[in-house]
């Protein structure tokens, strides 16, 4: 059975090859397993999964949408698998779970209406497409790595991840959400 560390390694390898769909599949499975560990259940549920994404949105947004840090992100996006609120907005956690994760795990792949960009962007366009920054995947990877429940995970020593200009070996970061918080705090304080 592949571990969370194995899944993260594969996600990083796929990102290095530019294979976004393969990378997302691995990180979505890693989130599933992490959400299961947090819940203490034999399987994670959609509410456990979305709760994990929601709880770590501050880190996902900071790492995955440089220049943005938000506890909640809501986007005006119309999709058959996501129920928007009365104003037509839905949470990023709903998009990650229902459209990305379920599309990759249970359906035929990524929805063609999701456009990946090198630019720091998240939002829908006039054609109804949703544009996401490629780095968003790194935010999801970071959330899994820094989650305290994953403190005993392992990965090859030469794998690293960046937060801002800081580059760290992942093996030293498993479960260390306190380090992510400290880095972000230092960075925010240095800008003020």
């Amino acid at each position: 059975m592949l571990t969370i560390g194995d899944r993260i390694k594969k996600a990083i390898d796929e990102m290095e090859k530019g294979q976004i769909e393969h990378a997302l599949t691995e990180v979505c499975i890693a989130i599933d397993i992490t959400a299961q560990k947090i819940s203490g259940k034999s399987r994670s549920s959609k509410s456990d999964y979305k709760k994990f994404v929601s709880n770590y949105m501050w880190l996902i947004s900071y790492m995955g949408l440089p220049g943005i840090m938000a506890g909640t992100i809501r986007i005006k996006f119309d999709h058959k698998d996501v129920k928007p609120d009365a104003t037509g907005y839905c949470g990023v956690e709903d998009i990650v779970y229902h459209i990305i994760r379920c599309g990759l795990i249970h359906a035929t792949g990524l929805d063609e209406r999701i456009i990946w960009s090198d630019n720091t962007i998240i939002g829908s366009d006039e054609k109804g497409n949703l544009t996401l920054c490629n780095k968003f995947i790194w935010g999801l990877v970071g959330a899994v790595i820094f989650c305290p429940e994953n403190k005993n995970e392992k990965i090859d020593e030469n794998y690293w991840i960046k937060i801002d200009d800081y580059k760290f070996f992942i093996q030293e970061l498993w479960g260390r959400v306190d380090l992510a918080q400290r880095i972000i705090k230092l960075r925010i304080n240095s800008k003020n």
Side-chain angles (χ1 to χ4, degrees), residues 19 26 30 44 50 56 73 88 99 104-105 108 118 135 140 142 151 168-169 177:
Q19 298 294 319
E26 295 300 333
S44 73
K50 292 193 302 186
Y56 280 89
I73 299 177
I99 301 171
L104 290 168
I105 308 294
T108 58
D118 292 332
K135 291 179 181 156
L140 295 171
K151 66 182 177 192
F168 300 95
F169 289 110
V177 73

Side-chain angles (χ1 to χ4, degrees), residues 56-75:
Y56 280 89
M57 189 54 64
W58 61 273
L59 182 58
I60 294 167
S61 63
Y62 191 85
M63 291 180 71
L65 299 165
I68 299 171
M69 187 170 95
T72 301
I73 299 177
R74 302 193 59 75
I75 301 168

Side-chain angles (χ1 to χ4, degrees), residues 45-136:
S45 66
K46 77 176 159 189
S47 62
D48 296 329
Y49 193 101
K50 292 193 302 186
K51 183 177 180 183
F52 174 83
V53 173
S54 182
N55 286 346
Y56 280 89
M57 189 54 64
W58 61 273
L59 182 58
I60 294 167
S61 63
Y62 191 85
M63 291 180 71
L65 299 165
I68 299 171
M69 187 170 95
T72 301
I73 299 177
R74 302 193 59 75
I75 301 168
K76 193 166 188 85
F77 185 60
D78 182 37
H79 193 279
K80 64 181 177 52
D81 295 330
V82 178
K83 181 176 169 66
D85 64 17
T87 61
Y89 286 81
C90 55
V92 169
E93 65 276 3
D94 293 312
I95 292 167
V96 170
Y97 181 81
H98 294 289
I99 301 171
I100 295 174
R101 178 215 175 266
C102 290
L104 290 168
I105 308 294
H106 303 301
T108 58
L110 277 175
D111 190 299
E112 62 187 28
R113 290 180 50 214
I114 296 181
I115 310 297
W116 296 93
S117 172
D118 292 332
N119 299 322
T120 301
I121 187 170
I122 186 167
S124 58
D125 64 19
E126 64 283 344
K127 296 177 185 173
N129 296 318
L130 174 66
T131 303
L132 292 170
C133 178
N134 292 337
K135 291 179 181 156
F136 186 76

Side-chain angles (χ1 to χ4, degrees), residues 62 65-69 163-166 183-192:
Y62 191 85
L65 299 165
I68 299 171
M69 187 170 95
I163 300 179
D164 280 329
D165 299 329
Y166 300 97
I183 292 164
I184 293 169
K185 184 179 177 183
L186 284 170
R187 192 61 155 180
I188 289 170
N189 287 342
S190 71
K191 292 179 181 178
N192 293 334

Side-chain angles (χ1 to χ4, degrees), residues 8 12 140-148 150-151 161 170 173-176:
I8 294 300
I12 293 169
L140 295 171
V141 167
V144 171
I145 291 167
F146 287 105
C147 179
N150 292 334
K151 66 182 177 192
I161 196 164
I170 294 172
L173 299 177
W174 289 111
R176 295 296 309 271

Side-chain angles (χ1 to χ4, degrees), residues 20-33:
I20 290 175
E21 190 166 325
H22 296 293
L24 273 170
T25 300
E26 295 300 333
V27 77
C28 284
I29 294 169
I31 291 171
D32 257 326
I33 300 166

